[in-house]
Amino acid sequence: METIHILNGPNLNLLGMRETNIYGHKTINDLEDMCRRRASENGFQVVFKQTNSESTLVDFIQEAIGKSSAIIINAAAYTHTSIAILDALKSFAGYVVEVHISDISKREEFRKFSFVSLRADLVIQGLGLDGYIEAIDKVVEKKVNK
Ligand code: CA2
């Protein structure tokens, strides 16, 4: 069975607990359940991780190399700052989908630039947690159309 790595960066463990006006009421556990369900309905298994640490996020990306056909990543604030995460993603040969819960193009100036976008094959933003489901669907489509 093919695997998708779904990787989440800093503070996303607080989903559903704070800033619900921006990020909604569902928790990271709800998100993990939603992703696992959608992936398994389509014959994929999921490695789902969250970390507050930049270096651990780099480690998670490296773990996907040779194991997963796709990475779905919400690098959270590291999106806007991390060349290390960009470099790690460049070492991964599979399909990369960048997801943001909010629409970063419509928020503060400092959120408008994304290092992750320099490697991502697809960017999905502003769809709330449904953006992750959309990302899984795109990975599935990509495989079907191969
Ligand atoms: O919209 C997104 O998904 C972001 O990646 C979320 C990041 C933010 O830094 C990016 O600019 C856009 C922040 C994640 C923090 O998530 C929280 C969730 C609930 C409560 C507090 C923070």
Side-chain angles (χ1 to χ4, degrees):
M1 197 186 272
E2 280 189 50
T3 304
I4 307 171
H5 268 65
I6 303 182
L7 305 180
N8 296 283
N11 296 305
L12 287 164
N13 55 313
L14 299 177
L15 275 178
M17 297 173 200
R18 311 238 195 303
E19 299 194 62
T20 52
N21 56 322
I22 303 174
Y23 301 114
H25 290 273
K26 292 209 167 94
T27 66
I28 187 108
N29 291 334
D30 296 332
L31 175 61
E32 179 171 356
D33 290 347
M34 287 164 55
C35 289
R36 285 193 187 286
R37 198 166 317 123
R38 187 59 147 237
S40 78
E41 283 164 4
N42 288 285
F44 281 76
Q45 63 186 11
V46 158
V47 173
F48 186 99
K49 301 208 172 178
Q50 187 276 330
T51 178
N52 292 328
S53 149
E54 182 177 17
S55 69
T56 305
L57 199 48
V58 169
D59 290 341
F60 289 164
I61 294 165
Q62 290 185 6
E63 280 166 25
I65 297 171
K67 281 201 197 109
S68 264
S69 40
I71 293 176
I72 295 172
I73 183 165
N74 183 348
Y78 295 137
T79 301
H80 317 293
T81 61
S82 180
I83 298 169
I85 287 167
L86 170 62
D87 286 345
L89 287 170
K90 282 183 169 172
S91 311
F92 177 76
Y95 195 59
V96 175
V97 187
E98 174 181 6
V99 171
H100 297 287
I101 299 165
S102 63
D103 184 348
I104 57 174
S105 71
K106 300 209 170 106
R107 296 184 64 190
E108 302 95 325
E109 270 315 301
F110 62 82
R111 293 188 204 274
K112 288 184 180 159
F113 177 76
S114 164
F115 281 102
V116 174
S117 291
L118 301 178
R119 162 62 182 92
D121 296 295
L122 175 69
V123 181
I124 296 172
Q125 57 184 353
L127 299 183
L129 299 192
D130 288 345
Y132 288 76
I133 301 301
E134 177 78 11
I136 292 168
D137 289 349
K138 295 293 182 195
V139 171
V140 171
E141 260 175 44
K142 188 90 195 144
K143 194 201 165 183
V144 170
N145 294 330
K146 242 190 201 170

